[in-house]
Structure formats: C-alpha cells, structure tokens
Amino acid sequence: QSALTQPASVSGSPGQSITISCSGSNSDIGGYDYVSWYQQHPGKAPKLLIYDVTNRPSGVSDRFSGSKSGNTASLTISGLQAEDEADYYCSSYTVTTTKGVLFGGGTKLTVL
Amino acid sequence: QLQLRESGPGLVKPSETLSLTCTVSGGTISINTYYWGWIRQAPGRGLEWIGEIFYSGTTYYNPSLKSRVTISIDTSRTQFSLKLDSVTAADTAVYYCASGLFDSKGTWGQGALVTVSS
C-alpha cells in the first residue's frame, strides 16, 4: 500500500482561502466515497475535520469543506485564521487483499 | 463523551514485543457501528494506519505490518490492545488509539510515545 500524495506545504494569509490536494488511485480515493481529513497541531492528537468526502462532524467549523474529483480529493479552508496553522492529513478507505486505510504524507499549512 | 487513553511501556528493547492497551470510558465498546483502531506516527513523520478491530473481534491490519501485529478486544474490561512483535528502531513512534467508523476516526487518545532501544 502506497501512501496518498499530498503537497508538503501550503501557505496563505489571514482571510484567504487555500486548498490542499490528496491524490490516490482507483483502489482508494477514486473507488470509494470514504475520504477523511484530519488537522493536527504540534504535540496533539489528530482531529477529524471531514469524513465521507464532504461531511463535517458536529462542532467543526463550516470554513472547512471537502470535495473529490476522480482520484483526487481536496480540502478547502476559507477565511484562514492563525489557529488554522497545523498539519493536515487525508485518508481513504482502500481495498487490496483486504480492506484498510491509507493516509497521505501530510501537508504543513502556514498562515502568513 | 467517549474518551480513550493509551497505556503501556514507553521503552521496548529491539526484537521484543511492544504492548499497548487502550482504555475506553464514557461509552460502550460494543457499539455495532464503531471500529477501534491503532495509528502511529514516527518522530517528524506522518500518520500510519496499523489496524483496527470490530467489537465482534474481526480484525483488519496494514499489510506491511500484518505479520507482526495482533489487535484484540476485551469488551468486559472496555479495553482493546495492540501487540507488535520483533520491534526495531523503525517502530519508535507515538502510538494512538482511536475510534469511529472504519475509515474515519472521530475520537483519539492522547498518544503514547514508545521508544525502541537497548
């Protein structure tokens, strides 16, 4: 199983919008609507932001949104705030010999 | 509110077995829609899915770790556990337990750093 591909870093200014991409294959992102996104601040556990491509858990700001096209999923953060500076990880359901979960390599978001 | 907490040795010798337990509080471990999983993060690296277990005992493992991993569940004690055999320095990581749907985990433990060193 190869990790999903994310850009190593992205940046944006407060108030702007940014998008983080996550590329996979027909065996994961392209084959199922089971993509999730997590936010991780230094020294903290990951926090679920998006599940099933577009759904937000209760309590997650609507500034976070997810989408998918083909084998690539995206996380968009609108109205960037300083506290959004963190690492972001995508994940996807995958099936090879059995079902499993793949994570992306992570993207460091810097708020300028 | 569901809470998870990892426990176990913070130092393991090479070639030995890493053992961690996740204790569940604030809810039942026998939820028939939830999976109980382990994810690790090596220092300065990304997240790696280790595997997960359903309350019935059905397990799913990362193929790259499958030969060394065992995840078990004790519903009477509301705990689930991870064993990783024949560890090397490459297994040094923060190990998280987490719960939720198979492919998305909404509740995470605080993480437990396990260092493999003699």
Side-chain angles (χ1 to χ4, degrees), chain A residues 65-78:
Chain A
S65 62
S67 62
K68 188 187 86 165
S69 178
N71 295 340
T72 299
S74 299
L75 172 71
T76 298
I77 307 174
S78 59

Side-chain angles (χ1 to χ4, degrees), chain A residues 18-21 37 49-50 64-67 73-77 88:
Chain A
I18 64 94
T19 296
I20 299 171
S21 62
W37 290 91
L49 296 177
I50 299 288
F64 296 94
S65 62
S67 62
S74 299
L75 172 71
T76 298
I77 307 174
Y88 291 83

Side-chain angles (χ1 to χ4, degrees), chain A residues 34-68:
Chain A
Y34 295 133
V35 177
S36 301
W37 290 91
Y38 298 87
Q39 175 191 62
Q40 186 181 35
H41 287 107
K44 300 294 186 182
K47 173 187 176 183
L48 181 64
L49 296 177
I50 299 288
Y51 67 97
D52 294 354
V53 181
T54 62
N55 295 316
R56 281 187 307 275
S58 174
V60 173
S61 172
D62 60 4
R63 296 188 300 106
F64 296 94
S65 62
S67 62
K68 188 187 86 165

